[in-house]
Amino acid sequence: MTRTQLTFAAAALLGTFTGATPSIAQDAKPVVMSAPFAQAMCAAWNADATLTDKLVESGWMKNDAGRGFKLMQIYRSDCASSARIEMQIALKDGKAQCVYGGAVRSTALDGGADYLMWADTPRWREMGAGEYGPMKGMMFGRLNFAGPKMEAMGNMAPFQNFLLLVGKVPGDWAACP
């Protein structure tokens, strides 16, 4: 997905699309790890074939705690009162589709099926820029993770794409959510 496509998706979600060319005003960028940012992440997820296809092929989608969707919650740990954001991923039309991105709606995560990831802002930026992936992030304590570890280990390539979305989706890094 190109930066223009991601900008378009984010602009459409934020209601700032004004015509044939997407436009996001500098001040209209959502704060990174805010509910509007999660909406844009959800749209970007659905446009990424590695995430939508490979997570079905690997069997990742089958482990949904019987709910029909998996939960991923993420946050910036250096923001004092940073709320988590949530993405719900469901099998839809044979693909692992993000069906919700926003503020947390699920208070309890299932440790055998769901994911919680947190890192300091500089680390999210590094991973989003592709400086390193989830394996190095977790091994060196840059990315904290709770959830089914063996399942995650078997899906490092898709999770690399997930981390890259954090850098591709336009957002305001200066403010805390």
Side-chain angles (χ1 to χ4, degrees), residues 21-133:
T21 306
S23 121
I24 295 181
Q26 192 71 354
D27 60 329
K29 289 181 183 177
V31 173
V32 174
M33 302 297 172
S34 66
F37 186 81
Q39 292 172 341
M41 286 276 294
C42 193
W45 172 293
N46 290 339
D48 186 296
T50 298
L51 291 168
T52 60
D53 296 340
K54 297 297 182 189
L55 290 173
V56 174
E57 292 170 17
S58 72
W60 184 80
M61 280 306 312
K62 291 179 183 175
N63 180 23
D64 66 6
R67 295 178 303 225
F69 59 88
K70 291 179 78 75
L71 291 171
M72 297 178 69
Q73 293 182 357
I74 58 177
Y75 68 97
R76 292 166 53 189
S77 54
D78 58 324
C79 289
S81 59
S82 177
R84 297 176 185 178
I85 57 173
E86 179 173 284
M87 296 172 68
Q88 292 181 1
I89 313 299
L91 186 61
K92 185 176 174 187
D93 300 324
K95 297 191 178 286
Q97 294 285 313
C98 182
V99 296
Y100 171 78
V104 169
R105 298 193 303 195
S106 305
T107 56
L109 294 175
D110 182 311
D114 299 326
Y115 291 77
L116 173 62
M117 291 175 268
W118 67 98
D120 288 343
T121 300
R123 301 306 187 191
W124 280 118
R125 290 188 83 153
E126 292 164 357
M127 291 180 286
E131 292 180 26
Y132 51 88

Side-chain angles (χ1 to χ4, degrees), residues 1-11 24 40 43-45 47 164-165 167-170:
M1 173 174 254
T2 67
R3 187 153 185 84
T4 301
Q5 290 170 318
L6 283 169
T7 301
F8 177 83
I24 295 181
W45 172 293
L164 290 171
L165 293 182
K168 289 179 181 176
V169 172

